[in-house]
Amino acid sequence: MWELNHNNCLASDAPLLAQMRAELADIGEKERILKERSADREAYRYLLDAHRLTVREVFLASCC
């Protein structure tokens, strides 16, 4: 008896579970994209800082 009710419950919950899995996958994809963008911004900041230091050194060398 329990197995019959349990199987019916699982069958009726299948669409809800599928929707929840899809939402979790979507959230995971959004998190991945945000991490990628954050890493890209960090790399850009590093390169910008390196460029600023190089320009400053060249400027100081040419002035003095």
Side-chain angles (χ1 to χ4, degrees), residues 17-33:
L17 291 174
Q19 179 185 358
M20 290 173 72
R21 281 190 197 103
E23 289 175 8
L24 286 174
D26 188 46
I27 289 169
E29 181 66 12
K30 288 177 182 176
E31 286 178 342
R32 184 190 65 76
I33 290 169

Side-chain angles (χ1 to χ4, degrees), residues 34-52:
L34 289 173
K35 285 178 185 176
E36 263 183 30
R37 288 181 183 169
S38 179
D40 288 345
R41 282 193 298 270
E42 286 298 316
Y44 177 77
R45 284 188 200 117
Y46 175 80
L47 292 173
L48 187 60
D49 287 344
H51 177 71
R52 286 178 181 155

